[in-house]
Amino acid sequence: MKLLFIGDVVGKTGRTAVRALLPKLSDRYKADCVVANGENIAGGFGLTEPLVQDLLSYGVHIITTGNHVWDKKDFMTSIGKESRVLRPLNYPPGVPGHGSIVFNAGGRKIAVVNVSGRVFMPQMDCPFRAIDAELERIRKETHIIFVDFHAEATSEKVAFGYYLDGRVSAVIGTHTHVQTADEKILPKGTAYITDAGMTGPSCSVIGIEVQQILQ
């Protein structure tokens, strides 16, 4: 099975890049499933229902998010209706939406799980405890498990990767919008990278206009 992951899609530039490049990439690599982090698709902050549908129409199967998932307040009522859009698993009980999905891709089931870190991030439930309970449930359906770990601190991400090594297929970090150079297969077989980077304007400060940030 081949899974294609797209790092944080930022604003119109990011959406345009996905629309232009994803069909060729999917065809070239024969991707069975395409996952994209889309928490910044609406002007760099949050999501809207129309833009989510646009991203899905470009060939994305599952959209993961992070701390910006609630930036557009109207989306709070939409996220519970669209199972293909995930929010971090470790939000407290009662929060709208889902933290994982089991998706039929290429005739096989694949699970995608979205988890948030806690270091330098909004307060959440413990990601380590939250993922344990979720894996116990998911493993009854599939052993192909992909995790988007949306976190700030590289040390927390590395620790999370080793914590899940051998228990999931891949742990891919998001959030910082700067790709790291530590992609590897961990000792027990799990694919890992601390951050996948972003899909957005290269002449920017993590997707935002340079002068705006300097000011």
Side-chain angles (χ1 to χ4, degrees):
M1 170 171 285
K2 292 185 178 180
L3 185 144
L4 172 62
F5 181 73
I6 303 172
D8 304 45
V9 181
V10 183
K12 185 177 181 180
T13 301
R15 300 195 314 269
T16 301
V18 173
R19 182 178 61 194
L21 301 176
L22 180 54
K24 292 180 180 178
L25 285 171
S26 293
D27 183 62
R28 177 180 176 184
Y29 292 105
K30 303 294 187 283
D32 297 297
C33 182
V34 178
V35 180
N37 187 291
E39 70 156 11
N40 302 120
I41 58 175
F45 302 95
L47 310 89
T48 66
E49 190 169 0
L51 293 181
V52 162
Q53 294 306 316
D54 284 348
L55 206 57
L56 293 172
S57 73
Y58 300 157
V60 174
H61 296 113
I62 308 296
I63 298 172
T64 56
T65 60
N67 56 301
H68 288 296
V69 64
W70 314 119
D71 283 6
K72 301 291 186 279
K73 300 305 179 186
D74 291 346
F75 195 66
M76 291 186 71
T77 59
S78 303
I79 193 168
K81 304 173 187 176
E82 180 52 82
S83 63
R84 292 173 293 177
V85 180
L86 305 180
R87 47 83 174 154
L89 172 73
N90 49 326
Y91 273 110
V95 173
H98 312 278
S100 68
I101 185 174
V102 176
F103 182 75
N104 196 319
R108 302 173 70 185
K109 290 183 177 180
I110 178 172
V112 179
V113 186
N114 197 178
V115 190
S116 175
R118 296 204 296 184
V119 181
F120 309 126
M121 297 285 280
Q123 287 301 305
M124 308 280 279
D125 292 343
C126 176
F128 294 83
R129 293 192 182 100
I131 195 75
D132 281 345
E134 194 70 0
L135 290 183
E136 186 175 345
R137 184 187 67 81
I138 288 173
R139 282 185 171 276
K140 297 174 182 176
E141 295 190 65
T142 181
H143 287 271
I144 305 172
I145 304 170
F146 175 89
V147 179
D148 175 348
F149 189 45
H150 197 79
E152 179 79 29
T154 54
S155 55
E156 186 181 24
K157 290 180 175 180
V158 172
F160 201 67
Y162 280 107
Y163 186 70
L164 294 180
D165 187 20
R167 303 165 63 196
V168 303
S169 305
V171 177
I172 306 299
T174 58
H175 178 63
T176 71
H177 294 200
V178 178
Q179 189 179 61
T180 54
D182 62 339
E183 66 277 7
K184 62 181 69 109
I185 303 298
L186 297 175
K188 297 179 183 178
T190 294
Y192 174 85
I193 187 170
T194 298
D195 204 288
M198 73 167 183
T199 303
S202 59
C203 294
S204 69
V205 178
I206 63 170
I208 308 300
E209 290 183 5
V210 173
Q211 196 56 45
Q212 179 181 336
I213 296 299
L214 293 180
Q215 184 64 39

